[in-house]
Amino acid sequence: MSARAIGAEAVAEKGWFASHKWLILRRSSQLAILALFLAGPLAGLWIVKGNLAYSLTLNTLPLADPYVLLQSLLAGHMPEKLALIGVAIVLAFYFLVGGRVYCSWVCPVNLVTDAAAWLRGRLGIKGGAHISRKLRYWVLAMTMVLAAVTGTIAWELINPVSMLHRGLIFGIGMTWTIVLAVFLLDLFVSANAWCGHVCPVGAFYSLLGKWSPLRVSAAKREACNDCMDCFAVCPEPQVIRPALKGAKQNVGPAILSPNCTNCGRCIDVCSKDVFRFGLRSAK
Amino acid sequence: MNDTHGKTPGARQASRRQFLIDMAKTACTVGLMGTGLALYTKQSRALPPLAIRPPGALLEADFQGACIRCGLCVRDCPYHILELAKPEHNVATGTPYFVARELPCEMCEDIPCVKACPTGALDHQLTDITKSKMGLAVLVDHETCLNFLGMRCDVCYRVCPLIDKAITLEAVHNQRTSKHAMFLPTVHSDACTGCGKCEKACVLEEAAIKVYPIKLAKGELGGHYRLGWEEKKKAGKSLIDDQNIITMPTRRPEDNP
């Protein structure tokens, strides 16, 4: 176990709430979205019907997952109008706020992998298998090729993301085994293994957010005291360095890597308030 | 040491070598994953015979490329007969199906499940539910069907939403009693929608009439077959020269004149 808990300085300096603000907001978002989907089947309150692959809100607003529909397109099927409108809305949204906002603010697997990361920290598990962070893009390519070759949306047969979300809403069955596998992978095999290395859904959304205007920015990077808390708490720590330490190389303070999930934990844990949400053009 | 760019040519070669090895490693891992998944895909396309897709579903191979597993058909089915397959089910994960013996399709006139489908995996061109082909009912067991045993059960016939079109009762002589008739439930593939009401209603422990995928249930004549009586009807007259047909003498076994 580390000598000092991550973010302890921030808690001492800013207070508990201010140093957990984005975490609380993010959990609220994840749970609220889940609650909206569950209100129908559990309480008969049909605000949202469907799941993350496609949903209809108040019987009017369609939202569709562009990744699944792209695979369907590659498999040789052209969807109906409502699905296309749904895709357009979702594409526009994530293009603006950052593709991987899906990962940290919406996806139910994030709750699982964050729990694994937390437990990994508590148990002091270090190291593990080396998995390339590029693996996810290979997996993404593989799912696309498979869709085209087999003519089916092959990845959806085993996709833990959609299986968990669908399972929670339509009945979990044996899906819990897949979720447990992801949890154990993250706990024992490698830190952030699933979301940060393997998941093609996250890889797809990262590409979607490649030019997103909304970014975390190390606006007050000169105040950084090298405590390393942001690196320790970040699920994609490689994205921070160019922005935080790039002043000398004339690199802007905005975190431009599309793999930043805009989770905002770095903002929380920084006692010097180095980070804040801003635009990618931030100077 | 030649150190103009921080790396000797040897080191550069080694790092390139490492890069290629890493690439190969990742590609092989993903390739293995993909091969496994491709094989699983093939297997998952074999829909078990008793799992029936909702009305208007595309052929299974196309369906699995079109259905995004959103479950809107499940939600809009007023009778809650549809279910999304769980991983432990023998149906492609997350896709909708029903089992007729448990809950058959009620054949809603407005077909809400098809209307709800955002991708057209359930074909929106299906607007008349009586034209749907979810499967085909087959009276599979002539040994246990009560009507085949000479009784008047008739339940499958009575519950059929397309009574006298999809299922008719055909009277034939009962050879066992030699003085009764048997009314045999007979399915007509041109009218049967595969809703499964007959299978659900069959009074036996195990239904004698079952809905099967059309591919399993239906035979197919060779393309060169011509049915004489049909051709005669089409042409309005016999296609052969009736006048010159030679009538052969009737031959009987010799000891039975």
Side-chain angles (χ1 to χ4, degrees):
Chain A
M1 242 178 256
S2 54
R4 180 181 65 85
I6 304 161
E9 240 177 276
V11 175
E13 201 111 332
K14 308 193 283 188
W16 193 89
F17 274 104
S19 57
H20 290 82
K21 182 174 116 192
W22 291 104
L23 182 65
I24 294 166
L25 283 173
R26 200 158 64 81
R27 292 281 177 258
S28 312
S29 156
Q30 290 167 331
L31 295 174
I33 289 167
L34 218 47
L36 278 175
F37 276 103
L38 282 169
L42 293 187
L45 202 63
W46 292 103
I47 302 164
V48 183
K49 265 195 283 193
N51 56 42
L52 286 178
Y54 175 86
S55 65
L56 200 55
T57 304
L58 295 170
N59 271 325
T60 41
L61 173 71
L63 295 171
D65 180 4
Y67 175 52
V68 176
L69 273 132
L70 181 59
Q71 290 174 80
S72 177
L73 208 60
L74 286 169
H77 182 80
M78 190 66 193
E80 297 281 330
K81 196 175 69 199
L82 269 184
L84 292 175
I85 297 171
V87 164
I89 296 170
V90 170
L91 281 177
F93 177 75
Y94 286 112
F95 176 80
L96 287 176
V97 301
R100 292 205 65 197
V101 159
Y102 177 86
C103 300
S104 59
W105 292 75
V106 178
C107 180
V109 173
N110 180 270
L111 290 163
V112 176
T113 55
D114 272 2
W118 174 83
L119 190 59
R120 199 178 154 86
R122 289 304 299 262
L123 297 178
I125 301 170
K126 292 258 155 42
H130 173 75
I131 309 173
S132 164
R133 284 203 183 259
K134 291 206 174 72
L135 176 67
R136 50 188 150 187
Y137 294 105
W138 287 79
V139 177
L140 174 64
M142 182 266 283
T143 63
M144 298 293 174
V145 170
L146 272 192
V149 170
T150 64
T152 66
I153 308 176
W155 184 249
E156 284 308 292
L157 291 172
I158 56 166
N159 184 0
V161 175
S162 50
M163 278 167 99
L164 174 58
H165 195 250
R166 189 170 53 233
L168 290 170
I169 299 165
F170 288 88
I172 195 98
M174 294 295 280
T175 301
W176 65 267
T177 56
I178 310 268
V179 178
L180 181 66
V182 169
F183 180 81
L184 294 178
L185 177 81
D186 270 33
L187 182 59
F188 293 120
V189 180
S190 180
N192 301 117
W194 182 260
C195 301
H197 300 76
V198 185
C199 180
V201 182
F204 176 87
Y205 276 91
S206 82
L207 296 178
L208 191 54
K210 203 155 168 44
W211 296 279
S212 299
L214 181 68
R215 303 274 63 184
V216 172
S217 170
K220 279 174 28 191
R221 55 186 170 184
E222 64 285 352
C224 172
N225 64 353
D226 294 325
C227 74
M228 299 298 280
D229 275 0
C230 55
F231 285 96
V233 85
C234 180
E236 304 273 353
Q238 79 282 4
V239 308
I240 298 177
R241 179 169 299 277
L244 185 61
K245 298 290 163 196
K248 270 186 228 134
Q249 289 92 343
N250 244 342
V251 178
I255 294 176
L256 297 180
S257 166
N259 274 318
C260 169
T261 66
N262 278 2
C263 73
R265 273 303 273 158
C266 53
I267 306 175
D268 281 347
V269 300
C270 182
S271 61
K272 303 289 172 212
D273 273 333
V274 165
F275 299 96
R276 62 179 177 81
F277 276 112
L279 295 175
R280 69 184 296 115
S281 55
K283 292 254 155 45
Chain B
M1 247 190 206
N2 177 2
D3 211 345
T4 45
H5 287 91
K7 271 182 187 171
T8 62
R12 213 173 302 147
Q13 202 180 2
S15 81
R16 189 198 301 146
R17 190 183 145 82
Q18 192 54 47
F19 173 74
L20 288 174
I21 289 172
D22 283 348
M23 284 269 281
K25 217 161 73 180
T26 315
C28 285
T29 313
V30 174
L32 208 62
M33 248 168 96
T35 313
L37 186 54
L39 291 174
Y40 181 48
T41 305
K42 204 163 163 247
Q43 203 187 32
S44 77
R45 253 188 286 184
L47 189 68
L50 292 186
I52 306 174
R53 294 291 186 203
L58 304 177
L59 290 176
E60 189 59 18
D62 299 329
F63 185 79
Q64 289 199 22
C67 173
I68 55 170
R69 292 107 157 126
C70 67
L72 279 232
C73 54
V74 175
R75 290 299 180 226
D76 281 9
C77 172
Y79 299 97
H80 308 297
I81 66 156
L82 293 174
E83 188 184 359
L84 292 185
K86 301 195 173 97
E88 67 270 29
H89 295 162
N90 228 343
V91 177
T93 316
T95 56
Y97 74 103
F98 68 97
V99 176
R101 187 66 167 166
E102 286 159 22
L103 283 170
C105 172
E106 297 288 338
M107 287 179 55
C108 312
E109 273 177 34
D110 53 344
I111 335 182
C113 52
V114 172
K115 279 192 188 148
C117 179
T119 66
L122 307 180
D123 193 348
H124 286 218
Q125 309 222 313
L126 180 76
T127 48
D128 177 0
I129 188 66
T130 63
K131 296 279 188 299
S132 67
K133 295 274 172 229
M134 292 170 265
L136 179 59
V138 187
L139 209 157
V140 275
D141 194 355
H142 295 186
E143 293 175 331
T144 54
C145 169
L146 297 182
N147 278 39
F148 269 79
L149 293 174
M151 287 167 260
R152 289 300 302 272
C153 163
D154 298 1
V155 166
C156 55
Y157 165 75
R158 295 281 164 209
V159 299
C160 179
L162 297 168
I163 184 169
D164 284 323
K165 290 196 201 82
I167 304 184
T168 56
L169 292 178
E170 304 292 326
V172 296
H173 177 60
N174 185 340
Q175 286 198 322
R176 180 174 58 82
T177 63
S178 83
K179 57 186 171 196
H180 297 100
M182 296 196 296
F183 293 87
L184 304 184
T186 307
V187 180
H188 302 277
S189 62
D190 55 337
C192 175
T193 63
C195 72
K197 289 221 124 184
C198 51
E199 180 178 341
K200 168 71 179 166
C202 180
V203 302
L204 302 186
E205 293 288 311
E206 175 76 40
I209 189 165
K210 289 190 169 100
V211 175
Y212 281 153
I214 292 178
K215 215 175 145 37
L216 285 187
K218 194 95 180 84
E220 193 182 343
L221 284 173
H224 61 287
Y225 270 65
R226 296 290 178 272
L227 303 175
W229 55 93
E230 299 278 338
E231 298 299 321
K232 190 173 168 181
K233 222 192 287 174
K234 258 192 263 170
K237 62 177 172 58
S238 176
L239 299 181
I240 50 167
D241 188 358
D242 285 341
Q243 303 298 308
N244 289 326
I245 289 180
I246 306 159
T247 311
M248 300 293 280
T250 311
R251 293 165 67 172
R252 294 202 173 87
E254 277 163 22
D255 58 342
N256 189 13

